[in-house]
Amino acid sequence: MPDVDKLAYMSYIQDMEAGAKDLLVEAAALLLEAAKGSLFITSLNKGLFYADLRAMLTTGSAITGTTYLALPAGPVIARYQRRVIGALADAGLAEQDDTDAKGKPLYLIGKPERKLVSAEHAKIIQRAADWAKARSTSALSKYSHKNPGWTAAYEAGLKAGRSAQPINMRIAMQQIMDDDPWMSEEPDPKVEAALVDVDEEVGTAW
C-alpha cells in the first residue's frame, strides 16, 4: 500500500474512532440528563445497554455501537472508566462523587447538545433513563443476568477462568424481542425500598 494510502487510511480510522467516542459520550450525557442529572455507574451501563438493544430492535442499529463486556454485575461498557467517566469529565459534562458511600454516582454538570444521536434514538434514551432511574442497581444487575447474550459471554469468559468476553448484541437482543418488560414493568415500591444500592462495578479495570 502506498504511503499516501496508509496515511489516508490511518486518518479515516482516527476519524471513525473519534466519532464513536463522541457518540458514546453524547449518549451517556443525554441519558444522565434524562435521568434528572444523576445515576450510579451501574445504572448508566445498564441504561445504555438496553437502550442499544431497543434501538437495534426498532431502528436496525444500536445507538452507541460500543462493546459491552460480560462482568459479574452484568453488561458493562469496555473501559468505561476512561471512555465514559473520564470522557464526560474531560468534556465538562459530568463528574463522579467519590465521597458517596452508596457507590460514587455520576452527576451532570454541563448541558449536553444532541448532535450525533438521532431524534428517534433520543426518545429511546429517555425511556431507558426512566427505567434505570426507577430501579436499584441490584435490581438492574439481576435483570441483566437474565440476558442470553450476557450469559453466553460470561460462561465463555470469567466463569471459565478466562478474560471478560464481549457480549454478542444479536444474541442479547433476544431478551426484549417477545415483550418489553424493561420498559413497561413498573417497579414494586416495597421491593425497591428494601434493596440497597451498591455500585458493584466501580473500581474494575475495564
Side-chain angles (χ1 to χ4, degrees):
M1 179 184 293
D3 289 343
V4 64
D5 290 341
K6 287 183 180 179
L7 290 173
Y9 179 73
M10 289 174 63
S11 177
Y12 168 76
I13 293 298
Q14 289 173 352
D15 288 344
M16 289 290 288
E17 290 177 345
K21 174 187 174 183
D22 292 343
L23 180 56
L24 175 59
V25 171
E26 182 177 309
L30 290 174
L31 192 105
L32 271 176
E33 182 181 45
K36 300 180 174 61
S38 68
L39 278 176
F40 288 104
I41 189 62
T42 294
S43 304
L44 184 67
N45 269 294
K46 303 305 177 284
L48 288 172
F49 177 72
Y50 282 101
D52 273 336
L53 293 184
R54 172 54 46 186
M56 287 175 63
L57 184 62
T58 59
T59 72
S61 63
I63 299 170
T64 70
T66 194
T67 297
Y68 294 86
L69 298 177
L71 295 186
V76 179
I77 293 169
R79 301 184 297 281
Y80 74 87
Q81 289 179 312
R82 175 173 60 82
R83 296 175 61 231
V84 179
I85 299 174
L88 285 169
D90 291 343
L93 289 171
E95 62 183 8
Q96 191 170 38
D97 183 0
D98 292 333
T99 66
D100 193 311
K102 293 179 70 176
K104 302 181 180 180
L106 279 173
Y107 289 97
L108 193 70
I109 60 173
K111 176 66 177 176
E113 294 184 49
R114 186 174 64 81
K115 296 179 179 179
L116 302 174
V117 174
S118 69
E120 189 173 15
H121 282 173
K123 291 179 181 178
I124 294 173
I125 287 175
Q126 176 65 65
R127 298 182 71 192
D130 293 340
W131 171 75
K133 186 74 172 181
R135 288 158 177 80
S136 70
T137 56
S138 298
L140 293 172
S141 291
K142 183 177 180 180
Y143 179 70
S144 70
H145 286 172
K146 300 176 183 179
N147 185 276
W150 174 84
T151 299
Y154 186 71
E155 289 180 349
L158 294 179
K159 189 174 181 180
R162 303 185 181 94
S163 60
Q165 296 296 300
I167 294 172
N168 183 314
M169 298 294 278
R170 293 292 175 185
I171 297 175
M173 192 169 56
Q174 294 174 13
Q175 186 181 22
I176 63 168
M177 287 183 71
D178 295 330
D179 54 28
D180 201 1
W182 70 280
M183 288 296 191
S184 59
E185 180 186 83
E186 292 298 325
D188 184 334
K190 293 181 181 179
V191 172
E192 292 300 305
L195 290 169
V196 178
D197 277 311
V198 177
D199 202 354
E200 301 167 69
E201 288 151 3
V202 169
T204 63
W206 303 104

